[in-house]
Amino acid sequence: MEHWDLRNLPVEPHEPLILHSSRGEARTVVLQLPAGEALEDHQVHERAHLVVIDGEVDVVQGEETISGGPGLLAVFDPAERHAVRARSDARLLLVLAPWPGAGHPGARDA
């Protein structure tokens, strides 16, 4: 078993910390997003599970904005566009699965 205290990991802004990565399964990443900064409109090849550990964020998808703090979970389908904006310093957990997703530059075609 591997385990982490997500609230106390030494994560710096702009330096995501990969906690676990297993080809064909999932990648787990912790991010520190300073107040006022954003993960601008983007998409990933995998299904993305975003959990707010600490702080407050706005999750934007098209015309819809959801605001939330610790405990907020947002799930995005592969290639679904979205943005995340920090209303205060925010710590986020991101799980991407399967890793790497179809079409990801790191994926190998069989």
Side-chain angles (χ1 to χ4, degrees):
M1 171 178 61
E2 295 180 73
H3 58 90
W4 300 268
D5 181 343
L6 300 175
R7 297 163 297 167
N8 292 312
L9 291 170
V11 181
E12 296 297 323
H14 312 289
E15 295 183 24
L17 176 62
I18 298 171
L19 297 180
H20 190 266
S21 188
S22 183
R23 184 168 280 284
E25 293 180 17
R27 175 169 275 190
T28 306
V29 181
V30 176
L31 307 155
Q32 189 71 32
L33 192 60
E37 291 194 17
L39 301 174
E40 296 296 338
D41 186 49
H42 67 284
Q43 65 190 40
V44 294
H45 296 278
E46 302 78 18
R47 180 170 313 282
H49 296 79
L50 176 73
V51 179
V52 177
I53 300 166
D54 195 22
E56 298 285 328
V57 300
D58 292 330
V59 180
V60 181
Q61 184 181 43
E63 299 298 317
E64 183 178 15
T65 300
I66 303 295
S67 297
L72 175 68
L73 167 64
V75 179
F76 304 96
D77 287 334
E80 192 171 29
R81 299 200 68 79
H82 59 281
V84 180
R85 297 188 182 114
R87 300 177 78 181
S88 65
D89 289 348
R91 180 163 289 206
L92 309 170
L93 176 69
L94 179 63
V95 179
L96 303 169
W99 179 259
H104 189 280
R108 294 187 186 130
D109 295 327

